[in-house]
Amino acid sequence: MHQLLLLGSLWLLAAPPASSIFQRPTGSPAPPRLQYLLEPLHTAVHTQRGATVTLPCVLRTLPRNYRVKWSKVEPANYRENIIIITNGLYHKNYGPLSPRVRLRHSHRYDASLTITDVALEDEGRYRCQLVNGLEDESVSLTLHLEGVVFPYQPSNGRYKFNYHEAKRACEQQDSRLATYQQLYKAWTEGLDWCNAGWILDGTVHYPIINSREPCGGRLLLPGVRTYGARDKQKDRFDAFCFTSALQGQVYFIRGHLNFKEAGQACRNHGAAIAKVGQLYSAWKFSQLDRCDGGWLADGSVRYPITTPRERCGGLPDPGVRSFGFPSKELRTYGTYCFTG
C-alpha cells in the first residue's frame, strides 16, 4: 500500500519559489554583490509554446579574457546542460536547444539568450554565468509557459503507468509531464483530482480542493497531497500532463461515427484526429466550447465547456468533460480534428 505524506494543509504547502534550485542553504553567507553582471529586473519570463522569447543577461563591464556560459537545469536530475558559450566575439551552441537559440547581442554588453519556436520542454531554470577566473558570477532566470494541466490515465483503468510510461503517454497526447510548480498553480486555479499521478521530477501527487472521504478524508485541509518520490520502474500511478498554446486549430465534425470513421473524417478535411492535449489547449486558449462528445486520437470521447450550463453535463465549472473510452465500434459521437 502506498505511503501518503500528508502535506495537504495550505500553510504547509506554500509553493516553493521557482529559484529554489539555486538558493543558498539557511545560515550561509549572502552571495557577493554582482560586479560584472546586472541583476535582471525580473527573474521570471512568461511565454507560450511557439513564441520567441529572450532571457536577459547584460554585463556592466567587459572583463579581460571572459566567457559567458548559458545553461539549463533539468528538474528530473538537477543537472546543468550547457546551451551556449561565448567570449564576446565567437560563440558555440550545444545540445538539443542548439538549432533554436542565439545570442541577442543588441550591443557589446548584451549576452541575452533568445529562444525561437518555444517548446514545452523549454520551461525551467536557466543560468547565465560569467566565467572570469576567480571572479565567476551568475544570474538565474525562470522561463514559464502559460498552459493547462490535465490528469491522464489509459483506457485500461487507473494506476497503470510507471514513470517512463506516464512520460511517454503525455508526449503522445501533445503534452509533457507537469512540473510541481505547474501542478500547484493548477490546484490554485481549481484543479481537484482524487487519483495520484506522476509529475516530471519523478514524484507523485494529487490536488484536492474539496476534502472528502475517498481522497484522504474530510479532516485534511485542501492542498496538493503527495506520495513523494517513488520507484520509477515498479510503482504505478496516473499522470499529470501539461500543454500550452497550439499553432493550429481544433474543430468539431458532427456525425454518428465509430472511431475508425472519425479518423477518416478528419483526414478527408486534410486534418488529423485531435489529441487530448490539443483539445485542452483549444479549450484553454481558444475558448472552444462544444456540448458534443467527440472522438480523440487515444480512443477517448470528450468535449470542452467554457460556459457551464445544465444541458452540458450540469457541472458548475468550465472544463474538458470525458465519456471515458467507449467501444471503438460505437456510432454515437462526432470527432474533434486538428489542423496545423
Side-chain angles (χ1 to χ4, degrees), residues 238-256:
D238 291 345
F240 285 105
C241 305
F242 172 85
T243 193
S244 185
L246 286 174
Q247 291 187 295
Q249 180 187 8
V250 173
Y251 61 93
F252 181 74
I253 294 179
R254 189 182 299 276
H256 297 282

Side-chain angles (χ1 to χ4, degrees), residues 18 22 54 70 72 77-78 90 108 126 137 204 212 247 269 289 291 309:
F22 295 112
T54 297
W70 275 98
K72 183 175 186 287
N77 51 27
Y78 295 101
Y90 307 100
R108 62 196 295 245
Y126 291 79
E137 58 188 43
V204 175
R212 50 204 186 272
Q247 291 187 295
H269 286 75
D289 186 288
C291 208
R309 47 211 187 269

Side-chain angles (χ1 to χ4, degrees), residues 32-41 55-63 66-70 86 107-112 126-132 135-141:
R33 182 177 176 273
L34 292 176
Q35 181 179 355
Y36 297 107
L37 296 176
L38 286 174
E39 284 281 1
L41 203 57
L55 302 176
C57 184
V58 178
L59 281 66
R60 297 173 185 269
T61 184
L62 302 178
Y66 77 96
R67 289 179 298 151
V68 170
K69 179 176 73 174
W70 275 98
T86 180
H107 52 79
R108 62 196 295 245
Y109 298 101
D110 185 14
S112 301
Y126 291 79
R127 182 159 75 142
C128 175
Q129 182 181 16
L130 183 133
V131 181
N132 183 36
E135 298 179 294
D136 295 357
E137 58 188 43
S138 65
V139 295
S140 298
L141 301 109

